[in-house]
Amino acid sequence: MKILRTRAASVSRQGLCTALLVASLTTAAVGASPPHNAADAGDPAPGPGNPQRLPHGSPNLALPDLVPPPGTPGAPGPGTPDGGPDKATGIPATALAAYKNAEKIAKEQWPDCHVPWELIAGIGKVESDHGGMGGGLRTDGSSAKPIIGPPLTGEKFALVRDTDGGRYDGDRQFDHAVGPMQFIPSTWQAYAADGRGTGQKDPNNIFDAAAGTARYLCAGGLDLSKPADVEKAVLRYNSSRDYLNTVLAWMRTYQNGGGGAVSDVPVGSPPGGTTLPTIPTVPTVPTVPTTPSRPTPGNTTPSTPKPNPKPKPDQNKPGDKDKPGGDKGKPGDHKPTASRLERRGDKELTAEAGQKFGPLTVRALTADGKPVTGTRVQFEVIGDDGPSFPNGPIITAATGKDGLVTVKGLTAGNTPGTYTVRATIGDRSSTHVDFTAVVTKPKPPQADKIVRIGNTPLSANAGDPFDPITIEADADGEPLANVKFTATVLEGDKAAKTGPYFKDGDKRPRTWTFTTGDDGRVDLKTLVADGRKGTFTLLLTTENDVRLSLKLIVTPKPGEPSGSGTPSDKSTGKGDKGAKGAPKKAPATPSAGSSPSPKATRTKG
């Protein structure tokens, strides 16, 4: 692979100090612009996963030969060769017209952005030598040869799998940076612009590409009269500090009217660094790629391009739109490109903290509503401390033959709340659809069994308290804390209106709610027998309907007659006294005060 020195090596000119390369952005103003309100954000800013900022050319700003793979669009257009460079700046006349036209479009469409044409020109210089890497420009804005970057296979450069079906770069396996401004196809699809007023948006034409660059730099409401915003804008084009410094050096050179005779100064050299010979514009000689879709990096032997198979005439021309009918498998046909997503199923999903949500499904569609196969869709959780996919907040998957893609494994975090899960085509935020993920508090712990600790009979004389009652809730054989249950006194199968009650001051409630402690146990509130004698039931019921019934026996006081008896206080109002002369019954052996035996077993009463 032939290397044209480095991009930085074409930065300096006679009298241009390398200090420009390392000048602080915080102390240099891009240009005077009036105060304004930048609230109109226009296009959304590219997301952090945008591949444009990733390495898509040789490291250290080196420019490899740009080899058009077989089937690449961009045959020579009808235009005539450019008339030559501008004398003041050294920029080819067609490129200079495109940069100034892009500035004009930006003033009309994004008036709060203040992007100078010199900044666009700086990027054009570093990316393709103003189209010179394609053998020069024609007056219509096309280049003599397509300017196609190396395949982004993840080996030497970033990994970016195909997003355009080979429409712009001729490769259906991996993306390449394309055109004089070197746009990644997915970035171009999100920020494409018509710089000629023809209705076409072609990244291989410098008028369209320069207008798209202005749109991309202005996205997210940036104000390029502010140095900090300039830094953000240029670094989103390429996240290299050397790249940033080089672009700014060329921008300032053009602003000062220079740029004609240019010498080389390596990026990072100290002030007064070595001056190198000017690098002339060298037409690139294509090499023969080893595979139809991947040019061979490192091949330095010039040769005549031999595309295999040979593309048919009038196919894959720049600016052509996808033919209707999608990918029919015919040679030269474009695979349809998805332009929007459609949500399938429910918009809102709910899961308890720590539990999994249901699947999320979207469909990728063309502009005319046809499903698209093989579209990479990114699902991303917006916000912190929210749900997560198995490997983090982002997951990517490709659509199937019906254009549908479903992802699973979204798990709720521990913080209840409402979160957004955003699906986009790649990282193109303009294509997003949202899901709402609601994380709820976990349900209270649920027991599968409740037992009484101890097995002594629950018996009390009328008017006396029962022995203390301790209850334990279990789950899978282990005590369970924070289990709520309700205790109700029954007579027969109905709630008792008389009989044993819970002591609560002057009140006599026969229903009470309890919650087990950290040890899974709870002592019930004191249960007292009233004057009604007989057998009752204490029914314990958890919130998930686990039940335990305990038998309560109320016996007469010592000296009172036995029998089911209706309390005599119904007539006297003075308590439950037995009939005169009735033989006294021996008092029952009291159980009050006894504590559960250490050897007591659990029983359901």
Side-chain angles (χ1 to χ4, degrees):
M1 177 168 58
K2 187 174 182 180
I3 304 299
L4 291 182
R5 305 298 292 272
T6 65
R7 294 180 182 176
S10 60
V11 171
S12 66
R13 55 185 285 274
Q14 194 69 27
L16 174 63
C17 179
T18 53
L20 287 172
L21 300 179
V22 294
S24 171
L25 284 172
T26 59
T27 60
V30 174
S33 297
H36 67 284
N37 183 355
D40 182 9
D43 293 297
N50 176 40
Q52 187 71 37
R53 70 182 69 216
L54 300 176
H56 52 268
S58 187
N60 300 318
L61 302 179
L63 272 176
D65 282 345
L66 302 175
V67 182
T72 296
T80 58
D82 194 323
D86 172 69
K87 292 182 180 180
T89 63
I91 299 174
T94 299
L96 182 60
Y99 301 145
K100 292 184 176 181
N101 182 61
E103 179 188 65
K104 179 182 177 182
I105 291 173
K107 287 181 179 178
E108 295 171 352
Q109 298 191 18
W110 311 287
D112 292 335
C113 178
H114 306 121
V115 56
W117 69 261
E118 295 92 344
L119 176 58
I120 303 172
I123 293 174
K125 174 64 180 178
V126 172
E127 291 291 349
S128 71
D129 196 19
H130 307 306
M133 299 307 301
L137 297 172
R138 295 181 175 84
T139 55
D140 66 351
S142 63
S143 54
K145 299 174 183 178
I147 304 176
I148 307 295
L152 302 180
T153 62
E155 298 170 0
K156 186 173 183 180
F157 306 109
L159 172 61
V160 184
R161 298 191 183 278
D162 175 59
T163 60
D164 66 334
R167 176 178 179 179
Y168 299 115
D169 54 20
D171 189 343
R172 292 192 177 188
Q173 187 175 6
F174 298 100
D175 270 349
H176 304 238
V178 297
M181 306 305 287
Q182 288 290 279
F183 272 104
I184 302 296
S186 60
T187 304
W188 177 254
Q189 291 177 47
Y191 298 95
D194 176 8
R196 295 169 288 167
T198 62
Q200 292 182 328
K201 299 177 181 180
D202 181 6
N204 294 295
N205 187 288
I206 197 166
F207 285 96
D208 294 348
T213 297
R215 180 182 179 186
Y216 183 62
L217 294 174
C218 291
L222 295 186
D223 174 3
L224 301 187
S225 67
K226 300 177 179 178
D229 279 5
V230 173
E231 179 174 350
K232 290 179 183 177
V234 177
L235 288 178
R236 69 171 53 153
Y237 221 105
N238 187 315
S239 59
S240 162
R241 180 64 58 171
D242 288 343
Y243 180 96
L244 170 68
N245 290 336
T246 304
V247 168
L248 293 183
W250 280 109
M251 178 193 72
R252 296 187 184 105
T253 299
Y254 296 140
Q255 287 174 335
N256 293 330
V262 179
S263 299
D264 297 304
V265 175
V267 171
S269 297
T274 303
T275 300
L276 301 176
T278 300
I279 296 178
T281 299
V282 181
T284 302
V285 180
T287 59
V288 179
T290 57
T291 62
S293 62
R294 294 179 61 184
T296 305
N299 189 343
T300 59
T301 304
S303 62
T304 303
K306 298 179 181 180
N308 183 27
K310 183 178 181 181
K312 295 183 178 180
D314 300 324
Q315 289 179 343
N316 294 327
K317 290 183 179 179
D320 280 353
K321 296 183 179 179
D322 291 330
K323 297 179 181 180
D327 186 2
K328 300 297 184 181
K330 297 179 181 179
D333 280 352
H334 296 309
K335 184 174 68 175
T337 301
S339 61
R340 62 187 178 93
L341 294 176
E342 176 183 76
R343 184 176 49 249
R344 308 290 288 181
D346 295 334
K347 178 180 180 180
E348 183 174 301
L349 300 90
T350 302
E352 293 179 20
Q355 301 300 311
K356 289 186 177 181
F357 289 90
L360 296 85
T361 303
V362 298
R363 170 173 282 164
L365 301 171
T366 61
D368 56 357
K370 295 180 180 179
V372 183
T373 302
T375 298
R376 303 291 294 179
V377 179
Q378 173 180 286
F379 294 80
E380 179 180 7
V381 179
I382 307 299
D384 298 327
D385 300 324
S388 178
F389 292 102
N391 294 319
I394 296 178
I395 191 172
T396 303
T399 58
K401 63 181 180 180
D402 52 1
L404 292 173
V405 58
T406 299
V407 294
K408 300 179 181 179
L410 182 65
T411 303
N414 295 323
T415 305
T418 300
Y419 301 87
T420 296
V421 182
R422 178 158 297 166
T424 58
I425 297 175
D427 67 343
R428 290 162 49 194
S429 58
S430 59
T431 63
H432 77 269
V433 295
D434 289 344
F435 294 85
T436 301
V438 180
V439 180
T440 61
K441 294 181 179 179
K443 292 180 180 178
Q446 295 185 345
D448 55 29
K449 181 172 64 174
I450 50 177
V451 296
R452 176 191 168 209
I453 303 302
N455 59 1
T456 56
L458 294 175
S459 176
N461 294 330
D464 292 339
F466 287 87
D467 286 344
I469 303 173
T470 300
I471 301 298
E472 180 179 283
D474 291 346
D476 297 326
E478 297 294 331
L480 187 61
N482 300 315
V483 175
K484 290 185 178 181
F485 63 89
T486 300
T488 302
V489 177
L490 303 180
E491 184 176 12
D493 58 358
K494 296 181 180 180
K497 296 183 179 179
T498 59
Y501 60 88
F502 294 103
K503 187 176 182 181
D504 184 28
D506 294 334
K507 299 178 181 179
R508 295 188 172 190
R510 291 178 172 84
T511 298
W512 204 272
T513 299
F514 301 90
T515 303
T516 59
D518 293 340
D519 59 354
R521 297 184 179 186
V522 61
D523 294 328
L524 301 191
K525 196 174 185 68
T526 302
L527 192 64
V528 180
D530 70 358
R532 186 176 182 84
K533 296 172 287 292
T535 301
F536 301 86
T537 300
L538 181 63
L539 177 64
L540 312 176
T541 308
T542 67
E543 292 180 322
N544 60 322
D545 204 34
V546 174
R547 299 187 177 195
L548 172 64
S549 296
L550 301 177
K551 183 186 292 185
L552 303 176
I553 300 174
V554 181
T555 58
K557 288 184 177 181
E560 288 184 342
S562 60
S564 62
T566 300
S568 60
D569 60 355
K570 287 186 177 180
S571 58
T572 64
K574 296 182 180 180
D576 185 16
K577 297 181 179 180
K580 291 182 179 180
K584 293 183 179 180
K585 182 179 179 180
T589 302
S591 60
S594 61
S595 59
S597 168
K599 298 182 180 180
T601 58
R602 300 173 183 174
T603 177
K604 292 188 177 181

